[in-house]
Amino acid sequence: MKSKFTNEEKQAILDRYISKSESPTSIIKSVGISKSTFYKWLSDYRAEQAEAKRKGLTLRNFNLLEAKVKRLEGIIEIIKKANVLPNAPLQQKLYVAEKLSGEYSVHMICDALDIARGTYYNHVLRNKRDNTWYAKRREELRIQIQEIFDENHQIFGAEKIAAVLKSKGVKTSTKMVRDLMRDMGLVRSFSRPYVPYDNSVIESFFASMKREELYRKKYRTETDLYQAIDDYIEFYNTRRPHSKIQYKTPEQKERECAVTFGMIEIE
C-alpha cells in the first residue's frame, strides 16, 4: 500500500469518483487506501471548491481588479516618462516627480519612483514658494481655465475643463483644475443636486414659474405645456418687474447695464 500521495495523484483518484462516477468501493480497493482516507480527501476537496466559489469573481472583485490594472498601467507610464532608474539620486527622482505631479496622483508617482510620500511632500512644501517653474505653470493654467470657463457660459466644472485642456495637449489633472478653480473663486452657474443655494437666481425663477404659471393651470397636451413655458419665460424677462432689480424687468436691467459699461450706445 502506498503511504504518500501527491496532490495531483489525490485529484486524479477523486476525479474517478466525481467525473467518471466510479464507486468509492472500487476506487478504494484498486488504489489500496482506507475508506476514511478517501472520504477525508473528498471532504477537503469539497471544502476547497466551496471556498473558491465563495471567493468567485463578483462585480466588486472585478472592479477592484480593474482599478489595480489601471494603477499598474499608470505606474508603467510614469516609469517610461521619468527616464530615471530606481537607484538614481533622490533629488533627481524628486525633480521628476514634481514635474509629473499634475498628470498623475502623488501616490502613484511615489510608488513608481520608489519615493516615500512624506519625503515628496516635504520637498514640495519646502520648494513651492521658490519654485518659479511651479508658479509659472500654475499661472498659465489659471489663464487657460478662466478662458475655457468663460467661453462655455461658466457651466463647465473641473472634470470638463480638465478634459478640454487634455484635448489641447495640456498635461494636468482634474484635482489640480479643481484646486485652481477653488482658489480663483470660479463657481459653475448651476447648482449641485439637492443644493439650491448654489444658484439662487435660477431657483427663484423656477419657484416663480411654478407659483405663477404651472400650479395655476391644467394643460391638456404636452404641446400646451411647452407653449405655456415659452410664454412665461418671455413674460418673466420682458414684462414682469423684479424687486431685486428695483422693479425693472431683466431685459430693462440688462440694457441699463450695457449702456453703463459702454457696450451699447443710447439711441
Side-chain angles (χ1 to χ4, degrees), residues 42-55:
L42 186 60
S43 176
D44 291 343
Y45 169 78
R46 286 173 173 167
E48 289 175 2
Q49 292 298 304
E51 181 67 13
K53 186 176 181 180
R54 187 181 68 82
K55 292 182 176 180

Side-chain angles (χ1 to χ4, degrees), residues 172-183:
T172 187
S173 65
T174 300
K175 182 180 182 304
M176 177 171 280
V177 172
R178 184 178 293 113
D179 291 345
L180 288 173
M181 289 181 71
R182 189 182 299 115
D183 292 343

Side-chain angles (χ1 to χ4, degrees), residues 203-216:
E203 292 297 333
S204 176
F205 165 74
F206 285 139
S208 297
M209 183 169 67
K210 290 174 185 177
R211 184 178 60 254
E212 299 173 359
E213 173 66 31
L214 301 180
Y215 292 163
R216 297 178 67 246

Side-chain angles (χ1 to χ4, degrees), residues 25-187:
T25 303
S26 173
I27 296 170
I28 291 167
K29 185 176 180 180
S30 65
V31 175
I33 57 175
S34 67
K35 184 184 291 186
S36 61
T37 298
F38 175 81
Y39 283 108
K40 174 67 168 55
W41 292 354
L42 186 60
S43 176
D44 291 343
Y45 169 78
R46 286 173 173 167
E48 289 175 2
Q49 292 298 304
E51 181 67 13
K53 186 176 181 180
R54 187 181 68 82
K55 292 182 176 180
L57 186 61
T58 62
L59 178 61
R60 181 175 179 276
N61 290 340
F62 176 79
N63 289 336
L64 289 172
L65 287 171
E66 191 175 38
K68 188 173 183 180
V69 169
K70 188 174 181 181
R71 177 179 175 80
L72 290 173
E73 287 175 345
I75 288 175
I76 292 171
E77 284 183 16
I78 291 169
I79 293 171
K80 288 180 178 178
K81 288 183 179 181
N83 198 27
V84 294
L85 297 174
N87 59 353
L90 178 60
Q91 287 303 316
Q92 184 180 350
K93 293 194 292 184
L94 286 170
Y95 172 76
V96 173
E98 192 171 355
K99 293 195 71 172
L100 294 171
S101 62
E103 196 172 349
Y104 302 94
S105 72
V106 171
H107 286 202
M108 194 182 294
I109 293 170
C110 289
D111 287 348
L113 300 180
D114 193 23
I115 301 172
R117 286 195 288 273
T119 301
Y120 171 81
Y121 284 123
N122 287 336
H123 167 79
V124 171
L125 290 173
R126 184 171 61 248
N127 294 332
K128 188 173 288 186
R129 290 183 180 178
D130 300 325
N131 193 330
T132 55
W133 174 86
Y134 185 84
K136 182 180 178 182
R137 183 169 182 272
R138 285 176 67 89
E139 187 57 34
E140 289 173 350
L141 273 175
R142 284 173 182 269
I143 295 171
Q144 292 172 307
I145 289 169
Q146 184 71 62
E147 288 177 352
I148 295 170
F149 187 71
D150 292 338
E151 286 172 1
N152 293 280
H153 312 293
Q154 300 184 346
I155 64 172
F156 278 11
E159 290 186 358
K160 289 185 178 178
I161 291 178
V164 173
L165 287 168
K166 289 177 181 177
S167 70
K168 294 180 178 181
V170 179
K171 295 180 179 179
T172 187
S173 65
T174 300
K175 182 180 182 304
M176 177 171 280
V177 172
R178 184 178 293 113
D179 291 345
L180 288 173
M181 289 181 71
R182 189 182 299 115
D183 292 343
M184 296 162 68
L186 298 183
V187 181

Side-chain angles (χ1 to χ4, degrees), residues 219-232:
Y219 307 97
R220 288 182 292 181
T221 66
E222 201 171 287
T223 302
D224 290 345
L225 172 62
Y226 290 155
Q227 185 60 53
I229 291 172
D230 286 343
D231 292 344
Y232 183 80

